[in-house]
Amino acid sequence: MTNEVLLKVSGLKVAYGGIQAVKGADFEVRRGELVSLIGANGAGKTTTLKAVTGLQPVADGDIQYMGRSIKGQGAWDLVKQGLVMVPEGRGTFTRMTIVENLQMGAYIRNDKAQIEADIERIFGIFPRLKERATQLAGTMSGGEQQMLAMGRALMTQPKVLLLDEPSMGLSPIMVDKIFEVVNDIHGQGVTILLVEQNASRALAAANRGYVMESGVITMTGAGKDLLNDPKVRAAYLGE
Ligand code: ATP
């Protein structure tokens, strides 16, 4: 990990019509970090990720990526620059096979040999996807589709991966597996911003964390410190 700030969000405001969903959020993610953003339903976490990745317009404030403002840039340009989101609900191509989905993740690339090597690397991370390589994505379980969505995002060779609720709706075993893989991907050098309802797992995995409440960041600290904070425990860990 270095001190280089890859992503810096300042005074971010995002609205849906008259509804202010994000009301002035400030946070940063440094190269090599795994940062978790936790908060209650409706706090504005998903909206924040969408604004950062160009999927939702920014009403006010700024987003800097590798030292330059990316405000107003489209999602597509940002993917090409390595800023990639895995959305909640996954969004795999259900009528395509697993291999085809992974190949779609590489369609901004033309380094054929390296694409093949990356598919093998992803099969190494997710052996389940290799076993089912020719199966249609739409016939897979929720956990398998989550793996596929993460695998497809990795095919874009992200510098910063933004994961929106990867453990949502999954069985406890699958939640374990997903967190194992998040740690793995982080261990391979990918910087990660993780949004999670599962606050205890997300903070345990994180270098640093932020708590979002009603569209603003209200607490920040090392993942382990937030995990042990009485206020966080009372509000988000059911104590
Ligand atoms: P969750 O965990 O439930 O997804 P969240 O913290 O990610 O919560 P957001 O989904 O960002 O929260 O929602 C923030 C606020 O914006 C909520 O009040 C929500 O109702 C509102 N909102 C989200 N999407 C839209 C939309 N497309 N149109 C109008 N309001 C929206």
Side-chain angles (χ1 to χ4, degrees):
M1 212 186 312
T2 66
N3 280 329
E4 182 195 352
V5 176
L6 279 189
L7 191 63
K8 186 173 176 61
V9 172
S10 325
L12 177 69
K13 293 186 184 169
V14 187
Y16 299 101
I19 302 170
Q20 281 273 332
V22 180
K23 300 172 184 163
D26 298 285
F27 63 93
E28 62 184 38
V29 181
R30 299 181 199 128
R31 187 183 290 278
E33 277 192 315
L34 195 172
V35 171
S36 289
L37 178 60
I38 65 163
N41 275 328
K45 307 179 298 299
T46 298
T47 303
T48 299
L49 291 192
K50 284 184 177 166
V52 168
T53 51
L55 295 166
Q56 190 65 43
V58 171
D60 200 5
D62 197 20
I63 303 168
Q64 296 216 334
Y65 176 54
M66 297 200 294
R68 286 187 303 135
S69 177
I70 54 167
K71 195 161 87 166
Q73 288 192 32
W76 184 233
D77 281 332
L78 296 173
V79 168
K80 285 194 272 189
Q81 294 169 58
L83 195 58
V84 181
M85 173 163 164
V86 179
E88 191 178 335
R90 287 109 212 196
T92 57
F93 300 109
T94 53
R95 287 159 171 256
M96 289 185 176
T97 67
I98 287 168
V99 162
E100 288 165 348
N101 265 275
L102 293 177
Q103 286 164 342
M104 286 301 284
Y107 83 104
I108 55 170
R109 301 168 50 186
N110 49 25
D111 47 341
K112 240 180 152 199
Q114 189 57 42
I115 290 171
E116 286 308 312
D118 278 359
I119 289 180
E120 280 311 311
R121 186 173 67 89
I122 284 159
F123 282 159
I125 301 174
F126 303 104
R128 182 76 65 95
L129 296 184
K130 181 166 188 161
E131 286 162 31
R132 316 231 158 160
T134 58
Q135 188 173 321
L136 292 182
T139 63
M140 302 210 303
S141 75
E144 289 163 351
Q145 291 199 36
Q146 181 62 47
M147 292 180 190
L148 180 56
M150 289 165 72
R152 193 180 59 191
L154 288 175
M155 288 301 295
T156 65
Q157 298 182 313
K159 289 191 178 70
V160 181
L161 193 60
L162 299 97
L163 300 172
D164 194 7
E165 308 255 9
S167 80
M168 192 175 62
L170 303 184
S171 68
I173 290 174
M174 207 41 101
V175 172
D176 284 348
K177 177 70 193 164
I178 292 296
F179 274 97
E180 217 176 273
V181 165
V182 169
N183 280 324
D184 244 33
I185 294 170
H186 178 226
Q188 292 182 17
V190 180
T191 302
I192 297 179
L193 177 59
L194 172 67
V195 160
E196 262 295 337
Q197 287 281 327
N198 191 331
S200 69
R201 298 294 296 262
L203 292 175
N207 302 115
R208 292 187 307 113
Y210 290 93
V211 178
M212 187 168 228
E213 287 172 33
S214 306
V216 295
I217 302 292
T218 52
M219 288 179 80
T220 183
K224 303 238 160 12
D225 292 343
L226 286 179
L227 195 56
N228 292 320
D229 185 282
K231 277 187 290 200
V232 173
R233 298 194 76 83
Y236 302 106
L237 304 173
E239 289 181 11

